[in-house]
Amino acid sequence: MHTQIEQLAERAREPIRKAARMEPDYSLESLAAVDHYLRQLPAAAPEELLAIAAQIGCYFGEVARRALGGRWDTTDEDPKRWRLTFDAAPLWIFPIGMAAEAVYEGDVSEYDGSLHVVAVLEPLLARALAAMGEVDEEYYYSLTGRLETIQHVLDVLAAARAAAKNGRSRAKPARPRRS
């Protein structure tokens, strides 16, 4: 793990531990504690919340990387541009952007909380997300919901890749929409 990511992720653990009264151990289950912590955050200065987003984003990215397999790209000096690319399919995210959206429960200027694929796979990504149906705002912005969405999309992309290798047609899937 990159030292900067590790340091930021580790800084997130103590406030999560205090808020949720459980050990944030980088497990999938620990994301419920992260979401609980984020819901407890008081309104604060945007700079303070964005610092929290950087810590939580690194923690979330590490949970995703460990659970799903992937690698960080931290060549950009700006942490909000640090990218996590998954091994199972050509899918990448900006974990700090996802965390910023979770903190604010909305889009955050200059932060990217989207899923990304190569251009040729964009229609498949759109179908995979649409097939997931609508979800409420709390789930949509939760990091637990984001990870479940990433898992689903990775499954769809991997299945499409396997079908293409075997000469079969591609499955038609899609992203939860906010209700």
Side-chain angles (χ1 to χ4, degrees):
M1 179 174 10
H2 298 284
T3 303
Q4 292 175 296
I5 293 167
E6 184 177 291
Q7 289 171 347
L8 286 168
E10 285 298 310
R11 279 189 221 145
R13 294 180 71 211
E14 184 59 26
I16 295 166
R17 182 182 299 111
K18 285 180 180 176
R21 297 183 181 170
M22 70 158 286
E23 185 63 35
D25 59 1
Y26 296 97
S27 66
L28 293 174
E29 296 78 18
S30 72
L31 289 182
V34 175
D35 289 330
H36 173 78
Y37 164 66
L38 294 177
R39 285 191 299 274
Q40 306 303 312
L41 288 177
E47 303 79 33
E48 184 179 330
L49 288 178
L50 291 175
I52 290 169
Q55 295 167 12
I56 294 297
C58 287
Y59 182 88
F60 170 70
E62 269 305 292
V63 170
R65 185 189 68 77
R66 292 174 187 197
L68 305 173
R71 64 197 173 288
W72 285 95
D73 176 356
T74 59
T75 53
D76 194 307
E77 290 183 23
D78 187 351
K80 70 182 170 220
R81 301 296 309 155
W82 292 347
R83 181 166 109 164
L84 180 62
T85 302
F86 296 97
D87 296 333
L91 174 72
W92 66 91
I93 62 170
F94 297 96
I96 293 172
M98 289 189 164
E101 288 185 357
V103 166
Y104 286 101
E105 295 183 329
D107 294 340
V108 180
S109 177
E110 299 182 27
Y111 284 78
D112 185 347
S114 302
L115 303 178
H116 298 274
V117 294
V118 294
V120 69
L121 294 177
E122 287 176 359
L124 181 59
L125 173 63
R127 287 193 307 270
L129 294 173
M132 292 184 76
E134 290 193 23
V135 296
D136 65 23
E137 291 271 325
E138 184 175 316
Y139 179 81
Y140 180 83
Y141 287 111
S142 74
L143 294 176
T144 300
R146 296 290 173 113
L147 188 71
E148 289 173 359
T149 300
I150 292 165
Q151 285 178 304
H152 171 72
V153 169
L154 282 173
D155 289 346
V156 169
L157 294 174
R161 177 186 275 175
K165 282 184 180 179
N166 294 328
R168 295 186 207 128
S169 64
R170 296 178 187 230
K172 293 188 179 181
R175 161 178 185 169
R177 295 178 306 273
R178 292 176 257 176
S179 56

